Amino acid sequence: MGGKNIKVENSDKKLLHWDRFRQQIGFRTSLTWCFLFICVLYILYSSNLILTTENQKCSVCLNASTEERLEALTNVSSTHLHLVEEVEDEPVERPVLPQRSQRYDTELKHIVFGIAGSSSLWEKRKEYIKAWWKPKESRGVVWLDKRVMTRRDEGLPEIRISGDTSKFKYTNRQGLRSALRISRVVSETLRLGMKDVRWFVMGDDDTVFVVNNLVRILSKYDHRQFYYVGSSSESHVQNIHFSYAMAYGGGGFAISYPLAKELAKMQDRCIQRYPGLYGSDDRIQACMAELGVPLTREPGFHQYDVYGDLLGLLGAHPVTPLVSLHHLDVVQPIFPRMNRVKALQHLMQSVKLDSASIMQQSICYDKKRSWSVSVSWGYVIQIFRGVISPRELEMPTRTFLNWYRKADYTAYAFNTRPVTKHPCQKPFLFYMSTSRYDRVKKQTLGIYSRYKSRAPYCRWNMSSPEKIDSVVVLKRPNPLRWQKSPRRDCCRVLPSHKSSTMFLQIGNCRDGEISQL
């Protein structure tokens, strides 16, 4: 029994020593693996630093197999890749633009007009051009389809004949092939090689421009960049049929010089791709779309796709410079009892005094007589019985009809309000009669005479504007108004010693001044 116990104890001791030995070996093995792992990490870390340093020295280091694959796929050798990388690493010289307050020193001499005309309508339409053209200042060309009789000293731009467009396709059954000729006006004007040109402005021979306001608008944009500036039609149906992204040629549009150069390079090929388009302006827009240049909208360019009386539109002109008027042959003269040309010449009297403020609306209230007064400076004053909010007065009344006779008022591209049927709410109209500049007081003085139409009978127990024969408007010219944020001028009713005359003062709004009764 004792011997067996001794053997058991000896065997237990051996097992214990063996376990301890295995533990020591396992610990040493772990230390060894741990050491090896740390060594591997160190080697990898060191090699990574080396590779990173090499990559910084040469950003495109390709092995031979990679270079061969690239050559096979792209047919570009590694030598070419290194050259491209070296060029990209060189500092790129970018043009340094002068620091300005987002305005550029564009003047009328920097603008060239391209006017699309028709020989059959020239004798009539040239009178529109005379109304706004400045012979010694304006630059441009009228492009006609045939030669016409001309006279010296007519105060008109140079006349040229458009190039032959018979090689171009035209498949639109409703349009005229003259659209091809007119669409090339800007490119043909560019090829004349005029010097110091920043903008090309296109319009029709029945488009009337307020050139000073055109300069103000274009001065906001960098003429060294690609710009296509204009506006849409007043008719929603027109814009849907053609494009809201298109500048309508009748209202006129401007193209910066570098964009005109790019257009001229590709326009003939572009025209061939769109034989089914209707007019010239949609062909221009199609080419602009290929060039990737969107329309920069300026609501002062007016296509005026309407019929009837422009009173509602011009009496509530948006707060933006009036740049152009169009379709004067199909609307009534803007001043009653005058022909269209005389009415334009009459308007230009106010334009010469303060072009920045022409047609700008002001709203005020006569508190004693409870009248609402809306002034479209240089054009018309409307006096209403009762209180009409500025929100309503700045919305054009529908004195005009849609370009599509079957379309109703919902087919305009802007909000309108109906002409009132209530006899007491009919406006009394006072059209600009005479205007002059007072050099002593440094202000313009305009006299607006009442349009003597028969006033409807009204039962309201309040004073009637029918007793007013004329309105005198005092205003200081403000040529820098569009260099500030847009805002309507404020209107103030002044005391009068004559019951038949109303006096108004128009100018910048004072602190806290608003249009309210």
Side-chain angles (χ1 to χ4, degrees), residues 87 99 129 133 160 186 191 305 308 325 435 455 480 498 502:
V87 170
Q99 297 296 320
I129 300 175
W133 185 259
R160 286 180 174 263
V186 172
R191 294 187 183 106
D305 283 335
L325 303 169
S435 57
L480 302 179
K498 296 177 69 174
M502 186 179 193

Side-chain angles (χ1 to χ4, degrees), residues 46-74:
S46 301
S47 62
N48 186 47
L49 284 177
I50 295 170
L51 290 173
T52 304
T53 305
E54 289 296 321
N55 284 338
Q56 291 177 350
K57 293 179 180 178
C58 178
S59 57
V60 182
C61 291
L62 307 174
N63 56 39
S65 60
T66 305
E67 289 181 352
E68 291 175 359
R69 290 178 184 176
L70 285 174
E71 286 189 40
L73 291 173
T74 64

